[in-house]
Amino acid sequence: MPVTIQDVQVIVTQPAGSRLVIVKVVTSEPGLYGLGCATFTQRYHPVVAAVEKHLKPFVLGRDVSRIEELYRMATVHSYWRNGPVLNNAISGIDQALWDIKGKKANMPLYDLLGGKCREAAAVYVHADGRDAYEVEDNVRRFMAEGYHYIRVQMGGYGGRSDMPPRPDGSPDGHYYDPRAYMRNMLDMIDHVRAELGDEVELLHDIHERLQPIDAVQFAKDVEPYKLFFLEDALAPEDIEWFDRIREQCATPLAMGELFNNPREWQPLIAGKLIDFIRMHVSQMGGITPARAVADFAHMYGVRTAWHGPGDTSPVGHAANLHLDLWAPNFGIQEWCRFPALVYDMFPGLPEVRDGYMYPNDKPGLGIDIDEELAAQYPPVDEVEFWTQTRWPDGSPARP
Ligand code: MG
Protein backbone atom coordinates (compact mmCIF):
# COMPACT_ATOMS: atom_id res chain seq x y z
CA MET A 1 0.00 0.00 0.00
CA PRO A 2 1.50 3.37 -0.95
CA VAL A 3 1.58 6.16 1.58
CA THR A 4 -0.91 8.77 0.41
CA ILE A 5 -1.67 12.45 0.99
CA GLN A 6 -4.52 12.71 3.49
CA ASP A 7 -4.59 16.40 4.26
CA VAL A 8 -2.96 19.67 3.22
CA GLN A 9 -2.85 22.50 5.74
CA VAL A 10 -1.56 26.05 5.38
CA ILE A 11 0.06 27.90 8.27
CA VAL A 12 0.57 31.66 7.97
CA THR A 13 2.58 33.43 10.63
CA GLN A 14 4.54 36.66 11.04
CA PRO A 15 7.11 36.29 13.80
CA ALA A 16 9.67 38.76 12.41
CA GLY A 17 8.59 41.26 9.76
CA SER A 18 7.63 39.00 6.88
CA ARG A 19 4.41 37.06 6.53
CA LEU A 20 5.47 33.43 6.15
CA VAL A 21 3.41 30.73 4.44
CA ILE A 22 4.11 27.11 5.37
CA VAL A 23 2.37 24.12 3.79
CA LYS A 24 1.94 20.97 5.86
CA VAL A 25 1.21 17.76 3.98
CA VAL A 26 -0.25 15.05 6.23
CA THR A 27 0.01 11.42 5.10
CA SER A 28 -1.81 8.16 5.64
CA GLU A 29 1.07 6.95 7.80
CA PRO A 30 0.38 7.99 11.41
CA GLY A 31 2.67 10.82 12.47
CA LEU A 32 4.28 11.23 9.06
CA TYR A 33 4.00 14.71 7.57
CA GLY A 34 6.13 17.14 5.61
CA LEU A 35 6.63 20.90 5.52
CA GLY A 36 7.19 23.16 2.54
CA CYS A 37 7.79 26.88 2.00
CA ALA A 38 5.14 28.73 -0.01
CA THR A 39 6.06 32.22 1.14
CA PHE A 40 5.10 35.09 -1.14
CA THR A 41 4.91 37.66 1.59
CA GLN A 42 3.49 40.58 -0.43
CA ARG A 43 0.58 38.55 -1.87
CA TYR A 44 0.08 35.69 0.55
CA HIS A 45 -3.73 35.52 0.48
CA PRO A 46 -3.95 34.14 -3.07
CA VAL A 47 -1.18 31.61 -2.30
CA VAL A 48 -3.20 30.32 0.65
CA ALA A 49 -6.30 30.10 -1.54
CA ALA A 50 -4.38 28.37 -4.34
CA VAL A 51 -3.21 25.68 -1.92
CA GLU A 52 -6.47 25.23 -0.04
CA LYS A 53 -8.96 25.60 -2.88
CA HIS A 54 -7.08 24.20 -5.86
CA LEU A 55 -3.95 22.16 -5.05
CA LYS A 56 -5.31 20.35 -2.03
CA PRO A 57 -8.26 18.77 -3.90
CA PHE A 58 -5.85 17.94 -6.72
CA VAL A 59 -3.32 16.06 -4.55
CA LEU A 60 -5.53 14.40 -1.91
CA GLY A 61 -5.22 10.62 -2.02
CA ARG A 62 -2.12 10.63 -4.24
CA ASP A 63 1.03 8.60 -3.61
CA VAL A 64 3.56 10.76 -1.72
CA SER A 65 6.49 9.10 -3.47
CA ARG A 66 5.69 10.48 -6.93
CA ILE A 67 7.17 13.94 -6.50
CA GLU A 68 8.39 14.44 -10.05
CA GLU A 69 5.08 13.48 -11.58
CA LEU A 70 3.09 15.59 -9.12
CA TYR A 71 5.32 18.61 -9.74
CA ARG A 72 5.03 18.24 -13.53
CA MET A 73 1.27 17.78 -13.42
CA ALA A 74 0.72 20.58 -10.88
CA THR A 75 2.55 23.09 -13.08
CA VAL A 76 0.21 22.47 -16.02
CA HIS A 77 -2.96 21.42 -14.23
CA SER A 78 -4.17 25.02 -14.07
CA TYR A 79 -3.49 25.35 -17.82
CA TRP A 80 -2.47 29.02 -17.20
CA ARG A 81 0.92 28.86 -15.56
CA ASN A 82 4.31 30.40 -14.63
CA GLY A 83 3.05 32.86 -12.04
CA PRO A 84 4.52 33.52 -8.60
CA VAL A 85 1.27 32.69 -6.77
CA LEU A 86 0.87 29.22 -8.23
CA ASN A 87 4.60 28.49 -8.18
CA ASN A 88 4.79 29.24 -4.47
CA ALA A 89 1.74 27.10 -3.82
CA ILE A 90 3.30 24.22 -5.80
CA SER A 91 6.56 24.70 -3.90
CA GLY A 92 4.72 24.24 -0.61
CA ILE A 93 3.61 20.79 -1.75
CA ASP A 94 6.87 19.90 -3.51
CA GLN A 95 9.12 20.72 -0.57
CA ALA A 96 6.79 18.93 1.84
CA LEU A 97 6.92 15.80 -0.32
CA TRP A 98 10.74 15.89 -0.33
CA ASP A 99 10.60 16.27 3.46
CA ILE A 100 8.31 13.23 3.62
CA LYS A 101 10.53 11.22 1.28
CA GLY A 102 13.51 11.91 3.49
CA LYS A 103 11.61 10.93 6.62
CA LYS A 104 10.43 7.70 4.98
CA ALA A 105 14.00 6.87 3.95
CA ASN A 106 15.36 8.03 7.31
CA MET A 107 17.81 10.23 5.42
CA PRO A 108 18.46 13.98 5.43
CA LEU A 109 17.46 15.51 2.10
CA TYR A 110 21.08 16.13 1.11
CA ASP A 111 21.60 12.35 1.24
CA LEU A 112 18.63 11.74 -1.05
CA LEU A 113 19.98 14.30 -3.52
CA GLY A 114 23.28 12.45 -3.81
CA GLY A 115 25.09 13.15 -0.58
CA LYS A 116 27.14 15.97 0.81
CA CYS A 117 29.92 17.71 -1.09
CA ARG A 118 30.67 19.78 2.02
CA GLU A 119 29.96 19.78 5.74
CA ALA A 120 28.46 23.26 5.84
CA ALA A 121 27.49 26.10 3.50
CA ALA A 122 29.38 29.39 3.48
CA VAL A 123 26.92 32.24 3.92
CA TYR A 124 26.90 35.95 3.22
CA VAL A 125 25.18 38.56 5.34
CA HIS A 126 24.03 42.12 4.71
CA ALA A 127 25.90 45.19 5.93
CA ASP A 128 24.30 48.58 5.42
CA GLY A 129 24.87 52.07 6.79
CA ARG A 130 23.99 55.71 6.36
CA ASP A 131 27.48 56.50 5.09
CA ALA A 132 30.62 54.64 4.08
CA TYR A 133 32.04 54.78 7.62
CA GLU A 134 28.97 53.13 9.09
CA VAL A 135 29.05 50.46 6.38
CA GLU A 136 32.71 49.86 7.22
CA ASP A 137 31.87 49.53 10.94
CA ASN A 138 29.15 47.01 10.18
CA VAL A 139 31.41 44.99 7.89
CA ARG A 140 34.03 44.93 10.67
CA ARG A 141 31.40 43.70 13.13
CA PHE A 142 30.43 40.83 10.84
CA MET A 143 34.07 39.97 10.21
CA ALA A 144 34.60 39.79 13.98
CA GLU A 145 31.68 37.31 14.13
CA GLY A 146 33.46 35.11 11.61
CA TYR A 147 31.72 36.09 8.38
CA HIS A 148 33.92 36.19 5.32
CA TYR A 149 31.34 37.14 2.67
CA ILE A 150 29.48 40.40 3.23
CA ARG A 151 27.05 42.29 1.04
CA VAL A 152 27.55 46.05 1.24
CA GLN A 153 24.71 48.49 0.61
CA MET A 154 24.28 52.07 1.76
CA GLY A 155 20.91 53.57 2.63
CA GLY A 156 19.06 50.45 1.47
CA TYR A 157 18.32 49.66 -2.16
CA GLY A 158 18.75 52.68 -4.37
CA GLY A 159 20.94 54.37 -1.77
CA ARG A 160 20.29 57.63 -0.02
CA SER A 161 21.21 60.97 -1.51
CA ASP A 162 20.09 64.55 -1.85
CA MET A 163 17.17 64.35 -4.21
CA PRO A 164 16.48 66.80 -6.98
CA PRO A 165 13.20 68.65 -6.39
CA ARG A 166 10.07 66.69 -7.25
CA PRO A 167 7.35 68.08 -9.46
CA ASP A 168 4.61 69.77 -7.45
CA GLY A 169 1.89 67.32 -6.49
CA SER A 170 4.12 64.22 -6.74
CA PRO A 171 2.78 61.25 -4.79
CA ASP A 172 4.47 59.75 -1.74
CA GLY A 173 6.78 56.85 -2.25
CA HIS A 174 10.31 55.56 -1.96
CA TYR A 175 12.23 58.03 -4.15
CA TYR A 176 15.74 57.49 -5.37
CA ASP A 177 18.18 59.03 -7.82
CA PRO A 178 19.90 56.28 -9.85
CA ARG A 179 22.80 58.44 -11.03
CA ALA A 180 23.58 59.61 -7.49
CA TYR A 181 23.27 56.01 -6.33
CA MET A 182 25.98 54.95 -8.80
CA ARG A 183 28.40 57.62 -7.60
CA ASN A 184 27.75 57.01 -3.92
CA MET A 185 28.05 53.23 -4.12
CA LEU A 186 31.38 53.42 -5.92
CA ASP A 187 32.69 55.81 -3.27
CA MET A 188 31.46 53.51 -0.51
CA ILE A 189 32.94 50.35 -2.02
CA ASP A 190 36.21 52.20 -2.63
CA HIS A 191 36.26 53.26 1.01
CA VAL A 192 35.49 49.78 2.39
CA ARG A 193 38.16 48.15 0.21
CA ALA A 194 40.72 50.78 1.15
CA GLU A 195 40.06 50.33 4.86
CA LEU A 196 39.55 46.56 5.04
CA GLY A 197 41.82 45.25 2.30
CA ASP A 198 41.23 42.66 -0.39
CA GLU A 199 40.67 39.58 1.72
CA VAL A 200 37.09 40.04 2.83
CA GLU A 201 34.69 39.09 0.04
CA LEU A 202 32.29 41.91 -0.83
CA LEU A 203 29.00 41.62 -2.69
CA HIS A 204 26.57 44.26 -3.89
CA ASP A 205 22.94 44.17 -5.08
CA ILE A 206 21.82 46.80 -7.61
CA HIS A 207 18.29 45.44 -7.21
CA GLU A 208 17.56 46.23 -10.87
CA ARG A 209 17.45 49.95 -10.09
CA LEU A 210 19.58 51.27 -12.94
CA GLN A 211 18.93 51.90 -16.57
CA PRO A 212 20.59 49.11 -18.56
CA ILE A 213 23.38 51.26 -19.99
CA ASP A 214 24.13 52.63 -16.51
CA ALA A 215 24.32 49.07 -15.20
CA VAL A 216 26.94 48.35 -17.86
CA GLN A 217 28.89 51.40 -16.71
CA PHE A 218 28.59 50.46 -13.04
CA ALA A 219 29.76 46.88 -13.60
CA LYS A 220 32.84 48.28 -15.39
CA ASP A 221 33.52 50.91 -12.74
CA VAL A 222 33.29 48.44 -9.88
CA GLU A 223 35.52 45.85 -11.57
CA PRO A 224 38.78 46.95 -9.86
CA TYR A 225 37.25 46.24 -6.44
CA LYS A 226 36.87 42.54 -7.29
CA LEU A 227 33.39 41.89 -5.90
CA PHE A 228 32.45 38.28 -5.17
CA PHE A 229 29.39 39.11 -7.21
CA LEU A 230 27.25 41.98 -8.43
CA GLU A 231 23.58 41.06 -8.14
CA ASP A 232 20.58 42.00 -10.27
CA ALA A 233 22.49 44.49 -12.38
CA LEU A 234 19.58 44.18 -14.81
CA ALA A 235 15.88 43.52 -14.53
CA PRO A 236 14.43 40.27 -15.93
CA GLU A 237 12.94 42.42 -18.69
CA ASP A 238 16.40 43.60 -19.77
CA ILE A 239 18.42 40.39 -19.85
CA GLU A 240 19.49 40.99 -23.45
CA TRP A 241 21.88 43.54 -21.99
CA PHE A 242 23.93 40.95 -20.11
CA ASP A 243 26.15 40.35 -23.11
CA ARG A 244 27.02 44.07 -23.12
CA ILE A 245 28.25 43.81 -19.53
CA ARG A 246 30.06 40.57 -20.22
CA GLU A 247 32.02 41.84 -23.17
CA GLN A 248 33.33 44.81 -21.20
CA CYS A 249 34.33 43.55 -17.76
CA ALA A 250 34.96 40.52 -15.56
CA THR A 251 32.76 41.54 -12.64
CA PRO A 252 31.03 38.29 -11.51
CA LEU A 253 27.29 38.52 -12.04
CA ALA A 254 24.42 37.02 -10.01
CA MET A 255 20.89 37.05 -11.32
CA GLY A 256 17.42 35.70 -11.14
CA GLU A 257 15.51 36.01 -7.85
CA LEU A 258 12.50 37.27 -9.81
CA PHE A 259 12.48 34.50 -12.40
CA ASN A 260 9.38 32.29 -12.44
CA ASN A 261 10.26 29.43 -14.71
CA PRO A 262 13.30 27.12 -14.99
CA ARG A 263 13.56 27.91 -18.70
CA GLU A 264 14.26 31.57 -17.96
CA TRP A 265 17.73 30.50 -16.83
CA GLN A 266 18.56 28.73 -20.03
CA PRO A 267 19.95 31.56 -22.21
CA LEU A 268 21.89 33.20 -19.39
CA ILE A 269 23.52 29.95 -18.27
CA ALA A 270 24.11 28.46 -21.70
CA GLY A 271 25.43 31.81 -22.92
CA LYS A 272 27.77 31.96 -19.91
CA LEU A 273 26.41 35.43 -19.25
CA ILE A 274 26.07 35.05 -15.47
CA ASP A 275 28.10 33.36 -12.72
CA PHE A 276 25.55 32.69 -9.97
CA ILE A 277 21.90 31.66 -10.05
CA ARG A 278 20.00 33.66 -7.44
CA MET A 279 16.91 31.48 -7.54
CA HIS A 280 14.16 32.02 -4.99
CA VAL A 281 13.41 28.32 -4.68
CA SER A 282 9.73 28.61 -3.67
CA GLN A 283 9.12 31.15 -6.43
CA MET A 284 10.42 28.60 -8.93
CA GLY A 285 8.10 25.84 -7.65
CA GLY A 286 10.28 24.01 -5.14
CA ILE A 287 13.22 21.65 -4.83
CA THR A 288 12.38 19.68 -7.98
CA PRO A 289 12.96 22.56 -10.46
CA ALA A 290 15.79 24.02 -8.34
CA ARG A 291 17.76 20.79 -8.55
CA ALA A 292 17.24 20.64 -12.32
CA VAL A 293 18.51 24.18 -12.87
CA ALA A 294 21.48 23.62 -10.53
CA ASP A 295 22.50 20.55 -12.53
CA PHE A 296 22.13 22.46 -15.79
CA ALA A 297 24.19 25.37 -14.43
CA HIS A 298 26.93 22.97 -13.33
CA MET A 299 27.54 22.00 -16.95
CA TYR A 300 28.41 25.63 -17.73
CA GLY A 301 30.49 26.52 -14.69
CA VAL A 302 27.70 28.59 -13.16
CA ARG A 303 27.30 28.35 -9.38
CA THR A 304 24.33 28.45 -7.00
CA ALA A 305 23.44 31.33 -4.69
CA TRP A 306 19.88 30.56 -3.57
CA HIS A 307 17.91 33.58 -2.43
CA GLY A 308 17.84 33.61 1.38
CA PRO A 309 16.13 36.76 2.70
CA GLY A 310 13.74 37.12 5.65
CA ASP A 311 10.81 36.48 3.35
CA THR A 312 12.02 32.99 2.68
CA SER A 313 10.56 30.97 5.56
CA PRO A 314 12.83 28.92 7.84
CA VAL A 315 11.50 25.85 6.02
CA GLY A 316 12.69 27.42 2.77
CA HIS A 317 16.09 28.16 4.32
CA ALA A 318 16.37 24.51 5.35
CA ALA A 319 15.60 23.49 1.76
CA ASN A 320 18.28 25.92 0.53
CA LEU A 321 20.82 24.40 2.89
CA HIS A 322 20.21 20.83 1.73
CA LEU A 323 20.68 21.94 -1.87
CA ASP A 324 23.85 23.80 -0.82
CA LEU A 325 25.36 20.76 0.84
CA TRP A 326 24.70 18.57 -2.16
CA ALA A 327 25.37 20.87 -5.15
CA PRO A 328 28.80 20.29 -6.69
CA ASN A 329 28.49 23.82 -8.07
CA PHE A 330 27.51 25.49 -4.81
CA GLY A 331 28.65 29.09 -4.72
CA ILE A 332 27.36 30.91 -1.65
CA GLN A 333 24.23 31.06 0.51
CA GLU A 334 22.49 34.30 1.50
CA TRP A 335 21.59 34.39 5.18
CA CYS A 336 19.20 36.78 6.94
CA ARG A 337 19.99 36.01 10.62
CA PHE A 338 16.63 35.17 12.21
CA PRO A 339 15.94 36.29 15.79
CA ALA A 340 15.57 33.81 18.68
CA LEU A 341 11.77 33.74 18.43
CA VAL A 342 11.99 32.24 14.94
CA TYR A 343 14.35 29.53 16.24
CA ASP A 344 11.76 28.73 18.92
CA MET A 345 8.97 28.61 16.35
CA PHE A 346 10.90 26.45 13.88
CA PRO A 347 12.87 23.77 15.77
CA GLY A 348 15.72 22.56 13.60
CA LEU A 349 16.29 25.92 11.87
CA PRO A 350 19.90 25.70 10.68
CA GLU A 351 22.60 27.13 12.92
CA VAL A 352 25.28 29.46 11.60
CA ARG A 353 28.73 29.51 13.19
CA ASP A 354 31.80 31.41 11.95
CA GLY A 355 30.22 32.16 8.60
CA TYR A 356 29.04 28.62 7.87
CA MET A 357 25.52 27.21 8.00
CA TYR A 358 25.33 23.70 9.43
CA PRO A 359 22.65 21.04 8.99
CA ASN A 360 21.33 18.74 11.65
CA ASP A 361 21.24 15.02 10.93
CA LYS A 362 17.46 14.65 11.14
CA PRO A 363 15.70 13.01 8.19
CA GLY A 364 14.00 15.07 5.50
CA LEU A 365 14.41 18.84 5.77
CA GLY A 366 15.18 18.47 9.47
CA ILE A 367 12.89 21.32 10.48
CA ASP A 368 9.54 21.48 12.27
CA ILE A 369 7.06 24.16 13.30
CA ASP A 370 5.52 24.90 16.70
CA GLU A 371 2.02 25.58 15.44
CA GLU A 372 0.75 26.94 18.76
CA LEU A 373 3.53 29.49 18.87
CA ALA A 374 3.01 30.34 15.18
CA ALA A 375 -0.68 31.00 15.90
CA GLN A 376 0.32 33.65 18.45
CA TYR A 377 1.87 35.71 15.62
CA PRO A 378 -0.88 36.05 13.01
CA PRO A 379 -0.11 37.89 9.78
CA VAL A 380 -0.89 41.60 9.64
CA ASP A 381 -2.23 43.01 6.38
CA GLU A 382 -0.76 46.29 5.24
CA VAL A 383 -0.17 48.07 1.98
CA GLU A 384 3.56 47.68 1.31
CA PHE A 385 5.42 51.00 1.16
CA TRP A 386 8.98 50.06 0.22
CA THR A 387 7.83 48.64 -3.11
CA GLN A 388 6.21 51.97 -4.04
CA THR A 389 9.44 53.09 -5.63
CA ARG A 390 9.75 56.24 -7.73
CA TRP A 391 12.25 58.00 -9.97
CA PRO A 392 13.18 61.60 -9.06
CA ASP A 393 10.33 62.96 -11.17
CA GLY A 394 7.80 60.79 -9.35
CA SER A 395 7.23 58.19 -12.04
CA PRO A 396 7.09 54.52 -10.97
CA ALA A 397 10.37 52.60 -10.78
CA ARG A 398 11.26 48.99 -9.96
CA PRO A 399 11.66 48.23 -6.27
MG1 MG B 1 18.59 40.44 -4.37
Side-chain angles (χ1 to χ4, degrees):
M1 281 285 286
V3 177
T4 56
I5 298 172
Q6 291 299 302
D7 194 14
V8 177
Q9 300 159 9
V10 188
I11 303 153
V12 186
T13 183
Q14 191 174 4
S18 296
R19 294 162 289 268
L20 307 174
V21 183
I22 312 297
V23 171
K24 181 175 183 177
V25 173
V26 180
T27 76
S28 56
E29 192 171 303
L32 178 62
Y33 62 88
L35 299 177
C37 179
T39 300
F40 178 2
T41 198
Q42 293 88 350
R43 295 289 187 269
Y44 73 96
H45 286 295
V47 176
V48 173
V51 175
E52 290 180 340
K53 305 292 186 193
H54 298 294
L55 278 170
K56 177 180 171 179
F58 169 68
V59 301
L60 279 181
R62 290 177 190 263
D63 181 346
V64 297
S65 69
R66 299 181 65 159
I67 300 175
E68 190 74 39
E69 190 223 352
L70 264 179
Y71 166 77
R72 299 288 153 199
M73 191 59 82
T75 56
V76 295
H77 182 245
S78 54
Y79 185 63
W80 310 99
R81 54 189 181 265
N82 294 338
V85 170
L86 289 180
N87 282 359
N88 270 286
I90 291 167
S91 165
I93 305 282
D94 178 84
Q95 294 190 5
L97 291 178
W98 279 106
D99 190 22
I100 289 165
K101 193 179 279 294
K103 287 174 175 175
K104 283 181 71 190
N106 198 27
M107 285 183 189
L109 177 62
Y110 58 73
D111 260 347
L112 284 179
L113 292 171
K116 278 192 242 181
C117 275
R118 55 194 62 77
E119 295 304 314
V123 300
Y124 76 87
V125 288
H126 299 177
D128 205 307
R130 283 163 297 187
D131 57 34
Y133 295 93
E134 197 172 279
V135 177
E136 177 200 337
D137 287 346
N138 288 325
V139 172
R140 284 186 191 280
R141 192 168 306 134
F142 283 129
M143 290 169 72
E145 290 178 28
Y147 292 104
H148 186 61
Y149 300 84
I150 300 168
R151 192 187 79 169
V152 288
Q153 309 289 132
M154 191 169 68
Y157 300 125
R160 185 172 291 147
S161 58
D162 293 334
M163 293 293 299
R166 302 178 195 175
D168 291 342
S170 299
D172 283 344
H174 187 94
Y175 280 72
Y176 78 102
D177 180 344
R179 304 281 288 183
Y181 160 80
M182 290 170 67
R183 293 190 295 272
N184 295 339
M185 288 308 121
L186 285 170
D187 288 347
M188 179 271 286
I189 293 168
D190 180 75
H191 172 85
V192 172
R193 264 289 177 246
E195 294 301 318
L196 298 177
D198 290 336
E199 229 163 80
V200 61
E201 294 285 3
L202 300 177
L203 304 80
H204 181 70
D205 187 352
I206 293 180
H207 227 256
E208 53 173 349
R209 289 205 179 194
L210 296 179
Q211 297 294 344
I213 192 63
D214 287 339
V216 177
Q217 182 71 55
F218 188 88
K220 284 170 62 179
D221 291 346
V222 83
E223 185 183 24
Y225 303 105
K226 295 189 169 52
L227 295 181
F228 186 74
F229 67 54
L230 178 65
E231 178 179 354
D232 285 3
L234 299 166
E237 298 83 358
D238 295 325
I239 59 169
E240 294 88 352
W241 285 78
F242 269 114
D243 57 357
R244 306 295 164 91
I245 298 180
R246 214 49 159 177
E247 69 198 9
Q248 298 195 52
C249 68
T251 296
L253 301 170
M255 177 64 189
E257 69 189 49
L258 289 166
F259 286 175
N260 294 295
N261 188 284
R263 298 295 170 111
E264 285 178 82
W265 300 95
Q266 197 172 349
L268 295 182
I269 292 171
K272 294 177 275 294
L273 296 173
I274 59 171
D275 303 280
F276 295 89
I277 51 173
R278 287 282 292 144
M279 185 189 295
H280 191 100
V281 170
S282 70
Q283 165 83 2
M284 192 61 42
I287 292 162
T288 301
R291 180 177 66 157
V293 176
D295 265 334
F296 179 68
H298 184 215
M299 299 293 163
Y300 293 89
V302 175
R303 288 178 279 173
T304 66
W306 313 115
H307 198 219
D311 56 339
T312 291
S313 75
V315 176
H317 281 273
N320 285 346
L321 175 60
H322 284 273
L323 290 161
D324 295 336
L325 297 174
W326 151 73
N329 53 330
F330 168 72
I332 192 73
Q333 177 59 57
E334 184 181 28
W335 174 233
C336 63
R337 298 181 304 130
F338 284 114
L341 169 62
V342 179
Y343 276 88
D344 292 340
M345 192 180 290
F346 292 91
L349 178 56
E351 304 272 354
V352 174
R353 300 190 299 277
D354 286 334
Y356 283 101
M357 184 186 287
Y358 288 86
N360 54 50
D361 53 7
K362 296 203 179 85
L365 291 173
I367 192 164
D368 210 337
I369 182 168
D370 180 337
E371 293 185 52
E372 280 179 24
L373 185 56
Q376 291 172 33
Y377 296 87
V380 178
D381 285 341
E382 59 179 340
V383 177
E384 209 84 52
F385 185 75
W386 80 270
T387 47
Q388 297 184 44
T389 313
R390 296 185 183 278
W391 300 111
D393 73 353
S395 55
R398 290 183 292 258

